[in-house]
């Protein structure tokens, strides 16, 4: 899984923690090709975060429903495991694998 960090900056502990949680949420999903995925996390000073996940997915089942399930799972896990408030979880399907 590729990772995208803030350019010219080291990750904060918060960003690294959130990135790990997102990766755990994506792990084991048969619909996702993990090697081509990218995760970007933005954390604000007031304890809010925005997550963007770019995925390569296999065309198995309804993609919109799968993306909604992934969004919900990521938001729930972040809320459960951290004190952060999730502003948004953006799921981008960058391509479909055949």
């Amino acid at each position: 899984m590729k990772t995208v960090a803030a350019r010219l900056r080291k990750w904060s502990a918060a960003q690294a923690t959130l990135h790990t949680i997102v990766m755990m949420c994506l792990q084991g999903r048969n619909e996702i090709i993990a090697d081509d995925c990218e995760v970007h996390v933005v954390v604000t000073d007031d304890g809010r975060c925005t997550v963007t996940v770019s995925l390569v997915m296999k065309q198995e089942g309804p993609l919109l429903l799968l993306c909604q399930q992934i969004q919900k799972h990521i938001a729930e896990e972040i809320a459960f495991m951290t004190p952060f408030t999730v502003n948004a979880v953006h799921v981008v399907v960058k391509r479909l694998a055949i």
Side-chain angles (χ1 to χ4, degrees):
M1 181 172 298
K2 295 178 187 175
T3 58
V4 178
R7 297 190 198 296
L8 304 176
R9 269 183 35 186
K10 280 182 124 179
W11 276 2
S12 68
Q15 287 173 311
T17 299
L18 293 169
H19 187 270
T20 301
I21 292 170
V22 172
M23 288 179 12
M24 287 175 12
C25 291
L26 298 177
Q27 191 175 34
R29 296 210 59 131
N30 294 332
E31 308 91 358
I32 298 171
I33 298 176
D35 293 341
D36 290 334
C37 295
E38 296 177 3
V39 177
H40 182 73
V41 177
V42 177
V43 180
T44 62
D45 291 334
D46 62 350
R48 297 180 182 276
C49 66
T50 301
V51 177
T52 303
V53 183
S54 298
L55 304 173
V56 175
M57 298 183 75
K58 297 176 187 173
Q59 195 167 357
E60 296 179 7
L63 294 178
L64 183 58
L65 180 61
L66 290 171
C67 290
Q68 289 171 337
Q69 289 171 349
I70 291 168
Q71 279 179 312
K72 182 179 178 183
H73 185 59
I74 291 170
E76 287 174 350
E77 289 297 314
I78 290 173
F80 180 74
M81 299 175 90
T82 71
F84 294 105
T85 301
V86 179
N87 279 340
V89 176
H90 303 289
V91 176
V92 178
V93 179
K94 58 184 183 178
R95 70 181 167 87
L96 295 174
I98 298 175

